[in-house]
Amino acid sequence: MDTHRSHRTHEILWSEVADDFVTEYSRRMLMSLPRRDQRQNGELYISGLLSLTSRKSMRSIASMAGGGAAEQRLHHFISKSSWGWVPVRKALAADLDRALDPQVWVVKPMVVLKTGEHTVGVTESFVPQLGRIVNSQRSYGVWLAGESKSAPVNWRLRLSGEWLADAKRRRRAEIPERVGADDGCVPPAVAAALELTRGWELRPRPVVVDARDEDAGLLVRHLAAAKLPFVLRIGGATRLIPLSAVREGRALRLMTAQHLAEGADRAGRPIRWVDRTGQSARSSQVTGTDVVLPPGSGAPPLRLVGAQRPGERRARELWLSNMTEVPSPRLVRLGRLSERVDRDFAEISTKVGAADFEGRTFGGWHRHTTLSAVAQAIVTLSAARDQAVELPSGDHLQLA
């Protein structure tokens, strides 16, 4: 393999994406927009997201069309227009489901630091990913992911109780009345994935979530109630009960996931894999044991899987799944597809403006992220279609 090309996994220069493909794909994804001028503005916006190397603001995108009136037109198209983003996302998801043949749906959080307080959803709070209290906008994206490619198809903005209860803020940000009705009980990470099951006509896939900074028990209950298979990465302090104790009628004692995983039987052969850089081959030993959540949760039996380096006792990764019939090494392989998403977010999403929205309205944020997702799909599919990028073998996990 050409080493130079292997390092360019998704480093596509936007000029390498054929203009005719950008136009054709944009038009196909925007067919649901009712007016011709809206579709034209959508094509311009997507083209700007792909072409500009600076921050993707409405002003910079409008400069491609002469600025001035174009900026006002784009501002209205994104922030004030009536076109719906859900039909566009459904069309995008259906197309990518066929093209990528994903193995899982990965739910990935996105945190965008903000200095003001008027941008929709911005709240001062502790962000685990950063380890400190910051003023930020937080959301969750749902990605269709396989071992070599991934792309986002849906986004859910996290709105705090402070936002949902403030009528003045809601009016200013144009947050619809229906938004927030279920936010008090359904975690946004779950809600984003559940939307894909409601008339989107997608093949159900296991849902992968990094739940180390979430309420894992709450995620389990909602995903199980929706009958969705899942693989959650959890923290070692998560409290669980061995299923054997339930079946044998022994006293039910809560134990940490870390302790349970380290005392479990080895689950088959070790997994060999290559890290994100494609340079370092590694091997992980896998353990697996069946567990349940604390009494009263109503959750089904679960499989707890630990992965550690050969010769080590302490599990470096812990995964929890309701797919108890699936071999534990396979569950680890599915969970680690989240690394594919992390890589594509860093190498593509940030370059097509996923985090660059500067407006203040709820609808504007959703329209911007939707068009950014279309732009990302164009990059991803262009690479696959034209063989412009050679994917490194390191992204494929295999059993030793």
Side-chain angles (χ1 to χ4, degrees):
M1 182 190 302
D2 186 310
T3 303
H4 175 70
R5 290 190 65 186
S6 70
H7 285 306
R8 297 180 65 249
T9 304
H10 276 305
E11 295 175 6
I12 299 177
L13 296 174
W14 306 139
S15 60
E16 294 179 14
V17 181
D19 289 342
D20 59 343
F21 181 64
V22 174
T23 301
E24 182 275 330
Y25 197 81
S26 298
R27 288 178 178 174
R28 193 149 52 86
M29 293 301 106
L30 300 176
M31 286 179 62
S32 62
L33 274 63
R35 300 203 315 262
R36 180 181 178 183
D37 65 303
Q38 291 176 333
R39 297 190 291 274
Q40 290 174 335
N41 285 329
E43 292 175 34
L44 172 62
Y45 203 84
I46 293 167
S47 178
L49 294 174
L50 289 167
S51 303
L52 293 168
T53 56
S54 58
R55 187 174 181 83
K56 277 69 173 179
S57 67
M58 279 180 261
R59 173 170 295 178
S60 61
I61 294 174
S63 67
M64 297 173 53
E71 183 179 349
Q72 294 181 355
R73 189 170 71 248
L74 282 184
H75 176 77
H76 183 274
F77 170 72
I78 293 295
S79 298
K80 300 291 184 179
S81 185
S82 60
W83 65 271
W85 55 84
V86 174
V88 178
R89 293 182 184 181
K90 286 183 177 181
L92 180 66
D95 188 78
L96 290 176
D97 191 54
R98 291 189 298 268
L100 303 184
D101 191 22
Q103 295 174 255
V104 296
W105 297 343
V106 175
V107 179
K108 176 179 174 59
M110 180 172 72
V111 179
V112 180
L113 301 185
K114 296 287 186 179
T115 55
E117 61 180 25
H118 299 302
T119 299
V120 62
V122 166
T123 304
E124 187 178 76
S125 61
F126 178 78
V127 177
Q129 295 93 327
L130 301 176
R132 66 183 193 276
I133 295 176
V134 295
N135 209 46
S136 65
Q137 181 188 65
R138 301 167 69 179
S139 60
Y140 292 87
V142 184
W143 296 58
L144 307 187
E147 291 182 352
S148 63
K149 293 180 287 294
S150 69
V153 297
N154 195 35
W155 291 94
R156 180 93 173 188
L157 184 63
R158 181 172 181 173
L159 295 172
S160 66
E162 180 182 357
W163 270 90
L164 294 174
D166 190 328
K168 183 177 180 181
R169 266 186 159 186
R170 290 186 69 122
R171 283 195 304 272
R172 187 172 57 211
E174 300 179 13
I175 300 173
E177 291 185 9
R178 68 180 185 281
V179 173
D182 61 352
D183 284 38
C185 58
V186 181
V190 173
L194 289 182
E195 288 179 8
L196 272 64
T197 68
R198 298 167 181 165
W200 286 47
E201 299 180 358
L202 298 180
R203 294 166 290 177
R205 303 293 189 187
V207 178
V208 177
V209 186
D210 187 339
R212 285 176 292 178
D213 297 318
E214 306 278 347
D215 184 335
L218 191 61
L219 295 184
V220 166
R221 289 191 288 275
H222 283 284
L223 289 168
K227 301 188 185 307
L228 283 175
F230 58 81
V231 183
L232 308 181
R233 187 166 184 181
I234 62 173
T238 304
R239 312 286 280 186
L240 301 165
I241 297 172
L243 182 60
S244 59
V246 177
R247 289 174 172 169
E248 296 168 9
R250 293 186 276 116
L252 303 184
R253 184 164 64 94
L254 288 172
M255 303 173 68
T256 67
Q258 192 75 48
H259 180 77
L260 285 168
E262 290 169 6
D265 295 331
R266 302 295 182 211
R269 295 172 290 174
I271 291 178
R272 291 186 59 81
W273 58 288
V274 179
D275 65 17
R276 298 182 200 177
T277 66
Q279 303 301 302
S280 178
R282 299 183 181 181
S283 179
S284 294
Q285 187 71 43
V286 176
T287 62
T289 187
D290 291 333
V291 297
V292 294
L293 290 178
S297 67
L302 305 166
R303 171 66 55 83
L304 171 66
V305 180
Q308 62 264 357
R309 293 177 182 173
E312 292 185 353
R313 177 178 176 81
R314 182 175 179 80
R316 291 173 176 259
E317 300 172 27
L318 296 169
W319 302 90
L320 196 62
S321 176
N322 59 345
M323 296 185 288
T324 55
E325 301 302 315
V326 175
S328 295
R330 174 65 177 165
L331 294 177
V332 175
R333 290 179 62 176
L334 292 175
R336 282 184 177 161
L337 290 176
S338 60
E339 294 189 2
R340 174 79 259 171
V341 170
D342 291 341
R343 182 174 182 171
D344 289 343
F345 178 84
E347 295 185 359
I348 307 179
S349 298
T350 56
K351 295 180 181 178
V352 295
D356 287 355
F357 179 64
E358 296 178 344
R360 296 182 176 182
T361 66
F362 179 84
W365 181 86
H366 275 285
R367 294 185 187 97
H368 172 86
T369 54
T370 299
L371 298 181
S372 175
V374 173
Q376 176 150 355
I378 289 171
V379 175
T380 302
L381 296 177
S382 293
R385 188 189 68 159
D386 300 330
Q387 298 296 307
V389 175
E390 188 173 342
L391 294 168
S393 60
D395 285 324
H396 294 268
L397 305 177
Q398 59 186 21
L399 289 176

